[in-house]
Amino acid sequence: ALNLAPAHFLAAQIEPDRRDALPAAAPLDQAERLYSVPATQDLVEMKILRSRIAAVRSDADAAVELAREAIAVDSSKADRGLALSALADGLALRGDIADADAAYREAVDMLEVAAWWRPAANTCRAWARVLRDNGREPEALDVLDRAADLGMRATPQARLER
């Protein structure tokens, strides 16, 4: 069980992206059953994954609640940024656009400080979709520019040039 729990948890983390988190549910369920007491970081990451799964299932309230639980745990800037991103997704799904906008902004800032370029770029793309879908095209274009910049930082060539 000690070796299987992290393996299932890793499988759950590899599966999801912003549009298809559902395949992560089964390995995440298995990991949670096998962990007796997960480490703080694992607990935060499990709550973030659960939040994303809830969002894919269109359960905005569960997505928001699970993300807030993850944010409440004292964790790294990167984990906090990922939790804020999940919160923003849930808030947007619920129709709380102003709060989602603020959560996306804080999430990207946290992920950028942690040098998690790809998740920061992905969060920007989700943020831009929400802005565009709510008639805020100019802001969406600015956020997409930021996503492009962050995406460039994630490339191997960009890291070599720094």
Side-chain angles (χ1 to χ4, degrees):
L2 290 175
N3 292 326
L4 283 177
H8 285 288
F9 187 46
L10 180 59
Q13 291 174 308
I14 291 170
E15 291 275 351
D17 65 21
R18 289 202 147 304
R19 293 195 178 116
D20 188 16
L22 293 179
L28 184 55
D29 291 343
Q30 192 71 345
E32 286 180 336
R33 278 192 293 277
L34 292 170
Y35 272 120
S36 57
V37 178
T40 300
Q41 182 175 349
D42 292 336
L43 180 65
V44 169
E45 291 173 8
M46 286 179 190
K47 289 190 179 296
I48 293 166
L49 281 171
R50 287 281 179 214
S51 175
R52 296 221 164 141
I53 291 167
V56 168
R57 291 180 172 155
S58 297
D59 187 349
D61 291 334
V64 168
E65 180 62 29
L66 287 159
R68 285 187 172 145
E69 289 175 14
I71 290 166
V73 177
D74 188 24
S75 61
S76 70
K77 287 187 186 323
D79 284 339
R80 182 171 172 80
L82 293 172
L84 284 162
S85 178
L87 174 64
D89 291 343
L91 291 168
L93 184 62
R94 194 159 71 183
D96 296 342
I97 305 308
D99 290 340
D101 182 40
Y104 279 126
R105 184 178 315 280
E106 188 178 353
V108 172
D109 290 345
M110 287 287 213
L111 291 166
E112 190 171 13
V113 166
W116 280 40
W117 313 122
R118 188 159 286 122
N122 289 340
T123 299
C124 278
R125 283 191 285 279
W127 182 15
R129 273 191 303 277
V130 169
L131 291 171
R132 185 188 63 224
D133 292 347
N134 286 278
R136 295 167 61 181
E137 283 285 329
E139 291 171 84
L141 290 173
D142 290 342
V143 172
L144 286 174
D145 284 342
R146 189 170 179 188
D149 179 52
L150 292 164
M152 288 299 296
R153 292 184 197 178
T155 65
Q157 185 62 36
R159 284 189 290 251
L160 291 174
E161 291 173 0
R162 288 194 308 161

